């Protein structure tokens, strides 16, 4: 798939922190309860830390108890792409930024109403634009 933002691995490494690079470009996961947004209650819009695309509104963030920032839905469905992830011996649904292809986290069907979804994201993949 052709992306709106395409960079070489070297360009990504130069622009991102080591943790952001590991999460966004290598599909890594930060430790639970360690990211800067897992317990953040500020209002605003969460953007992709790689390309700045608007991903999630703080009004859809909820306390999931998992140690990662969790949202019920993206700002718009087209902001993210969902993929099957069979790594680590399990089947999950990976969430990536549609604009740059950066790994954001996973989505699960155990969230609250009205969507029933839990978009479980890594803080390192996000930047909060506070209102």
């Amino acid at each position: 798939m052709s992306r709106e933002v395409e960079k070489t691995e070297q360009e990504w490494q130069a622009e991102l922190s080591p943790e952001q690079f590991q999460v966004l470009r290598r599909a890594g996961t930060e430790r639970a309860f360690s990211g800067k947004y897992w317990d953040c209650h500020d209002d605003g819009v969460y953007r992709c830390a790689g390309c700045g695309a608007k991903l999630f509104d703080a009004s859809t963030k909820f306390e999931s108890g998992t140690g990662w920032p969790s949202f019920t839905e993206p700002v718009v469905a087209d902001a993210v792409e969902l993929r099957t992830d069979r790594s680590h011996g399990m089947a999950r649904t990976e969430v990536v930024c549609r604009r740059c292809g950066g790994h954001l986290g996973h989505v699960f069907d155990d969230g609250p109403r009205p969507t029933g979804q839990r978009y479980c994201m890594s803080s390192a993949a996000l930047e909060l634009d506070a209102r």
Side-chain angles (χ1 to χ4, degrees), residues 60-66 68-72 118-121:
T60 67
K61 192 170 184 282
F62 68 97
E63 296 297 324
S64 65
T66 62
W68 290 281
S70 298
F71 305 87
T72 57
R118 174 172 52 96
Y119 283 82
C120 189
M121 305 293 99

Side-chain angles (χ1 to χ4, degrees), residues 69-128:
S70 298
F71 305 87
T72 57
E73 62 190 344
V75 170
V76 292
D78 285 348
V80 298
E81 180 182 325
L82 304 180
R83 300 177 180 167
T84 300
D85 175 5
R86 297 195 187 287
S87 64
H88 307 291
M90 60 185 111
R92 301 177 288 175
T93 302
E94 179 185 18
V95 181
V96 300
C97 175
R98 187 172 299 277
R99 190 164 180 244
C100 72
H103 171 82
L104 305 170
H106 293 87
V107 63
F108 302 94
D109 292 326
D110 60 2
R113 291 179 174 208
T115 66
Q117 301 290 290
R118 174 172 52 96
Y119 283 82
C120 189
M121 305 293 99
S122 287
S123 290
L126 304 172
E127 289 295 335
L128 176 62

Side-chain angles (χ1 to χ4, degrees), residues 20-34:
Q20 288 172 323
F21 182 79
Q22 181 62 27
V23 170
L24 286 163
R25 308 316 308 171
R26 298 281 185 245
T29 302
E30 64 200 9
R31 281 188 350 265
F33 304 102
S34 69

